[in-house]
């Protein structure tokens, strides 16, 4: 794919590819299952399998976040063409987000996708948090307490 324009590749695979998810409901919305697609929208801007430099954020196996970036020099080798960096569940959120921004900025990845990458990492980290138990509702007022005492005895 080094000699082929990414725009041409997009035009060829836009209607049918393995990542495309078509929905008849909701006005025919199209989504993408591409791991290098930050927003899961089927569009040229977010299509990670088409562009030479793309970013993907996925949840790590044991908690945390994994940043996947495409290597420019191994476009013809999909298996070895992805570089992965993982931030564990014990790493603070601020350090994770700063690491995502720094690793994409220093390597010259697309600046327009940095905010989306941090937003996706934030959503993944929030989904990995354990849910708090809902506390029991306190009885308010003397009448409510007396009624509860009558029911229990």
């Amino acid at each position: 794919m080094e000699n082929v324009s990414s725009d041409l590749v997009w035009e060829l695979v836009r209607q049918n590819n393995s990542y495309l998810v078509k929905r008849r409901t909701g006005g025919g919305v199209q989504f993408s299952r591409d791991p290098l697609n930050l927003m899961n929208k089927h569009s040229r801007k977010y299509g990670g399998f088409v562009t030479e430099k793309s970013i993907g954020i996925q949840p790590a196996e044991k908690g945390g976040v994994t940043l996947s970036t495409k290597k420019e020099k191994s476009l013809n080798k999909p298996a070895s063409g992805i570089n992965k960096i993982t931030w564990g569940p014990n790493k603070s959120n601020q350090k994770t987000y700063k690491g995502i921004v720094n690793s994409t900025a220093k390597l010259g990845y697309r600046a327009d996708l940095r905010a989306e990458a941090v937003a996706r990492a934030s959503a993944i980290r929030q989904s990995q948090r354990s849910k708090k138990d809902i506390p029991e509702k306190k009885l308010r007022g003397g009448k409510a307490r007396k009624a509860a005492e009558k029911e229990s005895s």
Side-chain angles (χ1 to χ4, degrees):
M1 296 226 317
E2 292 177 20
N3 296 331
V4 180
S5 166
S6 59
D7 292 324
L8 177 63
V9 172
W10 174 252
E11 287 299 321
L12 292 173
V13 299
R14 183 169 58 101
Q15 296 298 324
N16 292 310
N17 62 62
S18 62
Y19 299 119
L20 180 60
V21 179
K22 294 182 180 179
R23 294 285 181 242
R24 293 182 186 179
T25 59
V29 178
Q30 295 182 342
F31 296 107
S32 176
R33 287 191 178 127
D34 184 10
L36 296 175
N37 187 326
L38 290 172
M39 302 299 287
N40 292 339
K41 291 182 182 176
H42 180 68
S43 70
R44 170 74 178 92
K45 179 180 179 180
Y46 299 115
F49 70 98
V50 175
T51 56
E52 293 173 358
K53 285 190 166 187
S54 56
I55 307 166
I57 304 283
Q58 300 293 328
E61 291 180 16
K62 296 180 181 178
V65 177
T66 300
L67 169 72
S68 304
T69 55
K70 204 181 222 186
K71 294 179 189 175
E72 227 179 330
K73 296 192 177 180
S74 33
L75 293 174
N76 293 336
K77 303 170 190 169
S80 64
I82 294 179
N83 187 24
K84 293 188 178 188
I85 303 169
T86 302
W87 287 275
N90 297 330
K91 191 68 87 169
S92 72
N93 288 343
Q94 188 173 2
K95 285 185 180 181
T96 303
Y97 306 150
K98 187 171 176 134
I100 290 170
V101 170
N102 286 344
S103 60
T104 55
K106 289 178 182 174
L107 297 174
Y109 282 87
R110 293 175 46 194
D112 61 327
L113 295 180
R114 283 186 205 139
E116 283 91 347
V118 171
R120 184 170 176 104
S122 175
I124 290 170
R125 291 296 297 257
Q126 189 171 6
S127 71
Q128 291 172 345
R129 273 194 234 150
S130 59
K131 302 287 183 195
K132 290 184 178 179
D133 293 332
I134 298 173
E136 289 185 28
K137 293 202 174 202
K138 295 181 181 177
L139 297 174
R140 295 176 176 256
K143 289 182 181 179
R145 287 190 201 106
K146 287 179 185 176
E149 289 174 8
K150 283 184 181 179
E151 288 179 14
S152 62
S153 54

